Amino acid sequence: MIRLRLRPILCAAIVLFSAAGVGLAQPASKRAAASRLTGDAPRIDGRLDDPAWMVGAPAVEDFGQQRPIEDAEPSERTRVLVRYDAQALYIGARMFRRDPGQILRSLARRDGQGSAEHLQVTFDTHRDLRTGYGFVITAAGARSDY
């Protein structure tokens, strides 16, 4: 789960998602609708079970896999939710894995991903599909931005 503190103007930005790993869902780009929260902000606890995640825009789940066959039906499921309020943008994601022991989570330094599975969020703030801001978090907890 990612919580970003942004000015509300960025909440209207196009959001692109990517979850990586062999056989996991990873699109070239995916747009998602963000819902404005009417109640309390979600708890940042790694769970997607509080009311903030239950009401609003539906989850994005129609990803395609990247490896071994690009855009094929993914062997594992990914579910992403986007919410916002006047203070922050909240992104909740669940990457399902039948065998959690196979999750690639090699340790890397900040701004390095290594071969770990990751969630990448990119904001196309100029709506030109060329420039933007991106944030990545790996299964090992390494973070990067660009």
Side-chain angles (χ1 to χ4, degrees):
M1 196 168 348
I2 301 172
R3 178 181 181 196
L4 303 172
R5 288 206 171 266
L6 302 171
R7 292 185 182 149
I9 187 107
L10 288 182
C11 295
I14 298 171
V15 182
L16 307 172
F17 296 99
S18 166
V22 176
L24 287 181
Q26 178 164 351
S29 65
K30 177 67 59 181
R31 293 180 184 201
S35 294
R36 184 171 183 81
L37 293 169
T38 56
D40 293 334
R43 287 185 308 273
I44 309 301
D45 60 3
R47 300 173 59 125
L48 301 175
D49 59 357
D50 44 309
W53 298 117
M54 304 297 176
V55 178
V60 177
E61 297 188 71
D62 60 335
F63 294 100
Q65 86 177 11
Q66 182 183 33
R67 287 180 235 125
I69 301 167
E70 192 159 347
D71 288 328
E73 185 72 26
S75 57
E76 305 288 346
R77 199 175 106 201
T78 301
R79 185 169 193 262
V80 178
L81 296 152
V82 183
R83 305 292 186 260
Y84 70 97
D85 60 20
Q87 304 301 315
L89 176 67
Y90 305 91
I91 300 168
R94 167 104 0 116
M95 281 73 80
F96 296 89
R97 189 62 107 120
R98 278 172 265 175
D99 183 2
Q102 291 186 351
I103 295 173
L104 301 174
R105 53 182 165 264
S106 60
L107 196 56
R109 292 179 179 225
R110 176 157 173 61
D111 294 327
Q113 294 175 17
S115 60
E117 294 178 18
H118 64 278
L119 174 71
Q120 175 179 323
V121 180
T122 303
F123 299 93
D124 181 8
T125 54
H126 296 285
R127 295 186 181 205
D128 60 5
L129 301 176
R130 303 173 98 197
T131 57
Y133 300 93
F135 303 90
V136 179
I137 186 163
T138 72
R143 294 180 241 170
S144 64
D145 54 73
Y146 55 93

